[in-house]
Structures are given as C-alpha cells and as structure tokens.
Amino acid sequence: MNLDFHYYGTYCAARLAGYGRREAEEIAYYAQFVDECSESLLKKKGVSADRLSVTVNSDDELTAQFTDLRAYTKEQLRQVGGIWSAFHFLPGNLHGEIAAAELSEEEQREFKRLCLPDSPLMVKMVQQAKADGSLPAIGMAMHILADTWAHSYFAGIPARHVNNIQGDVHELRDTREVKLTFTLDTLPDNLEGNRYSHTPPNAFRDKSIVYLGHGRIGHLPDYSFMRYAYKPAWLQSGMTLKNNALDFGKAFCQMMAAMQYIRGDRETFDKYVYAELDAVKKQKLQELFKVRVLRSDEQWRHFIEHDLSAEDTAAGCIVAFDVNKCFREYDAAPRKSDTGLARFLAASKNHRYLVEKEAGPYPA
Ligand SMILES: [Zn+2]
C-alpha cells in the first residue's frame, strides 16, 4: 500500500468510524508516517537519541544495503527484520496457520513470520492501541493492520525460502491472463506495457536484501487494482491468487471496526470482524480500487469531497500530506513529550516489544 491508502484511506475509515475531521486527519497523518520514520530522517531532524524509534528504512538506506555485497551480520538481520516484521509484515503464522513442507528447523521458525491478515497478534496490537489511546498510536496500528492485507504471504525478513517466487506471474484482467514482465531498473512501473520492476534473485545468498518482503514481485501487492496469480517459494503445488481490490476493501472495513472499538462504540474486537459499509460507499470504493493507476490520491480526494459525508463535502478534502508537519510541532513545543511525534515514537517502541514478545527473537 502507498500514501493513497495509508493517508486518504485511513482518513476515510476514521471518519466513518466516528472521528471528527481534525482527529481523523491526525490518525491518517501518523498512519502514513510509518512509511516515513527512518533513522536518517529522525537524525536529520535532530530528534534526541533516547526517543529514536525507527519504523522504516529510507530508499537510501535500502540502496546502501543493496549495493553492499557482504552477507548480513546477525545485528543487521536483527535491525532489518525488527523494522519490517513489526511495522509492515506483522507475523501471522505464529501458530502454524499455514504449513510448508520440507523446511529446516530454522526455516520453520522464520516461516512463522509469514504475514497474514486476521492474526491473533493483529488483535493484540489493536488492544494495545486502545490502551494507549493517543491518535498517533491509533494511526500507527492502522498502517500495520492495513499492511497485513496488502503484504499477506510475504515476511518482513530477508529469507529466500519465504519470499522468493517461482515461475511466471500473471495478471488476471477481466477474463484474460496477462503474463507480466519484470525488470531490474528503477523506472516507474509501466501498466500499459505490463512491465514492473522487482529485485533480482541472488543465487549465492539465502538471506539477501532481494528476499526482503515482496521485493521479488515488485510493487504488485501495493496496487489496489491488481489481481494476480503467482507461486510463492513455500507453496508445494498450485498457485496463490491475490485480489487486491477485495483485500483492500476488507482492510478498510477492518480498520473501521478496530477504530469503532478503540473509540468505545463497539464492545469487542476480534479476528474476522469488519464494519458494514452502506451499499453506495461500498460500490464507490470498489470502483476506486479498480482504477488502473500507480497512485490513486486523486480518486481518494474525489471520494472525500463527494461521497464521504456532507461535512467533508462542505470542507473539501484534507490537506496534502506534509512530512514536516510533526517536526514543526515538535520543534515549537516546550514539552516534547506532549507532541504527536513523541507519542508516535513511544507507541512504536511499545509495538516493537509486543511483536518481539509474541514472535520471539529474530534471528533466533
Ligand atoms: Zn507499510
């Protein structure tokens, strides 16, 4: 998922869950901030070392890993796996929900980190966000919850036996199957030409950056319109089918249910609980998800202005995302602990503890 869903989509789900415009905007801001909060950014902005908590690697940090041909050290694995497992690929296979044959003991342990939606850990995360209660903590949890849908069947660790793919990838478009081409460039994906960038395989190393998350299948999991079939490394036979529009719809309704619960408007929250959307909005959102574009910001802005609520229509759309907003507030605040950024960083530390406690150490 990209800024389109994490920022605008989270805003809409928060509004429909009952939050006011200003609160929904703050939740949406911190949902997107999970994709911004790199070590280099925090250091550049002068955030004090005792507060540092990182939720993503910047593009430059990833490129540096990519061009470093040495094998990961245990410490590097811990850092990379800690960030990507906790914040973008929440482990969902801790009780062996999906079995894979012919794995060594170490591989079995790593396979438990497969990201799956509707996991017990996702429910615990939502309960922890409720206990925290701050809007930045809620935004952070909504990012991670949404990612469990987009990133299902991949893991946030560099592991070939989990994240590699076998053979061709086909987009299922209407009644046609279109074979996709993958390239190693950094050009934008070409939807008309059916060409997508991905990471190359690495024959020499099982724990390589190219096997982190969904790199081997490029950005396919992040596009709401994409419906595709492929064979993950761990699947013995058959294919895995991903229908992103359906999954993004479920993510949206699960975020709504989670936020209704956090607000106290829903008594319980559990796996497989989704809020009901009215038929018109449901239809409009499905149409939005199916538009073939790399980023659907414009479609979301249109939805907010015309279809979300009378209040939103009158007010127009929310402001465009500005990553510096939280740092301006932080710099100006006499008490840093009262700022949204400090709350976000504290919540992200607690979330890391929760994931480490539940999923165990990585590498083991
Ligand atoms: Zn993410």
Side-chain angles (χ1 to χ4, degrees):
M1 282 165 175
N2 294 314
L3 182 146
D4 41 13
F5 191 95
H6 284 312
Y7 186 58
Y8 296 109
T10 304
Y11 174 81
C12 295
R15 290 288 287 133
L16 294 172
Y19 286 100
R21 292 187 68 250
R22 197 206 58 77
E23 294 168 308
E25 198 175 306
E26 185 158 356
I27 292 170
Y29 178 87
Y30 284 101
Q32 171 58 24
F33 194 67
V34 176
D35 273 346
E36 315 282 345
C37 186
S38 66
E39 185 175 352
S40 17
L41 180 70
L42 292 181
K43 285 188 169 162
K44 192 171 97 187
K45 298 292 183 184
V47 176
S48 58
D50 58 319
R51 280 195 214 285
L52 282 197
S53 177
V54 169
T55 61
V56 76
N57 289 124
S58 69
D59 286 347
D60 286 349
E61 290 165 11
L62 287 173
T63 307
Q65 290 176 33
F66 207 85
T67 49
D68 187 346
L69 297 176
R70 289 168 299 182
Y72 276 122
T73 63
K74 207 169 173 186
E75 175 56 21
Q76 283 170 323
L77 284 174
R78 200 186 64 77
Q79 279 187 11
V80 170
I83 293 171
W84 292 92
S85 280
F87 297 104
H88 308 276
F89 295 82
L90 193 69
N93 200 25
L94 298 177
H95 308 284
E97 285 82 348
I98 289 189
E102 291 173 30
L103 297 181
S104 69
E105 227 173 88
E106 186 193 2
E107 287 173 340
Q108 289 280 9
R109 271 198 304 273
E110 292 184 346
F111 194 60
K112 288 178 181 250
R113 290 181 172 262
L114 192 71
C115 179
L116 294 172
D118 284 310
S119 69
L121 185 49
M122 181 278 293
V123 176
K124 286 183 182 164
M125 171 184 74
V126 170
Q127 285 162 347
Q128 186 158 285
K130 183 179 169 76
D132 180 305
S134 76
L135 300 174
I138 297 165
M140 181 201 69
M142 291 308 110
H143 179 111
I144 301 163
L145 183 158
D147 272 358
T148 63
W149 290 93
H151 295 169
S152 58
Y153 304 133
F154 293 97
I157 54 174
R160 171 165 36 198
H161 70 94
V162 189
N163 294 327
N164 200 14
I165 58 168
Q166 319 173 44
D168 294 331
V169 180
H170 286 93
E171 181 180 358
L172 311 175
R173 204 182 302 165
D174 308 320
T175 52
R176 287 181 300 146
E177 272 195 25
V178 182
K179 186 179 151 188
L180 303 182
T181 307
F182 287 90
T183 59
L184 303 179
D185 54 48
T186 52
L187 298 171
D189 288 340
N190 181 325
L191 302 185
E192 286 69 42
N194 304 308
R195 276 198 309 278
Y196 297 85
S197 301
H198 74 159
T199 57
N202 182 335
F204 305 105
R205 210 155 278 149
D206 295 341
K207 290 179 173 45
S208 159
I209 176 95
V210 302
Y211 300 119
L212 174 64
H214 56 74
R216 289 285 292 128
I217 206 164
H219 285 295
L220 265 49
D222 294 324
Y223 299 137
S224 61
F225 65 84
M226 188 53 82
R227 198 157 66 97
Y228 58 105
Y230 74 105
K231 190 165 186 208
W234 46 267
L235 193 65
Q236 296 296 305
S237 61
M239 303 286 274
T240 290
L241 175 70
K242 293 277 284 276
N243 182 340
N244 289 1
L246 205 71
D247 286 346
F248 282 40
K250 284 193 171 170
F252 188 89
C253 292
Q254 192 169 58
M255 288 200 300
M256 271 177 68
M259 287 189 278
Q260 288 166 344
Y261 168 68
I262 289 169
R263 285 173 54 78
D265 295 339
R266 178 185 281 272
E267 266 186 24
T268 56
F269 176 76
D270 208 341
K271 299 176 284 182
Y272 312 110
V273 169
Y274 315 99
E276 273 296 321
L277 265 182
D278 75 58
V280 177
K281 286 193 181 64
K282 200 172 180 174
Q283 170 71 20
K284 294 268 181 196
L285 278 182
Q286 276 304 311
E287 284 167 17
L288 183 162
F289 290 144
K290 285 178 182 158
V291 180
R292 293 178 64 79
V293 282
L294 296 179
R295 280 269 296 265
S296 48
D297 300 34
E298 212 178 286
Q299 285 73 17
W300 277 109
R301 293 180 71 88
H302 186 276
F303 178 81
I304 293 169
E305 279 188 39
H306 297 89
D307 306 304
L308 185 58
S309 77
E311 205 190 325
D312 280 278
T313 302
C317 199
I318 60 169
V319 294
F321 179 80
D322 171 12
V323 70
N324 291 316
K325 187 175 126 180
C326 70
F327 296 108
R328 284 195 296 270
E329 185 207 8
Y330 185 78
D331 288 341
R335 267 168 61 103
K336 306 293 182 209
S337 55
D338 288 343
T339 60
L341 178 63
R343 291 196 179 97
F344 174 88
L345 295 174
S348 69
K349 274 187 189 170
N350 286 337
H351 177 68
R352 277 285 286 265
Y353 294 141
L354 173 70
V355 175
E356 271 162 36
K357 186 173 75 132
E358 297 291 320
Y362 171 80

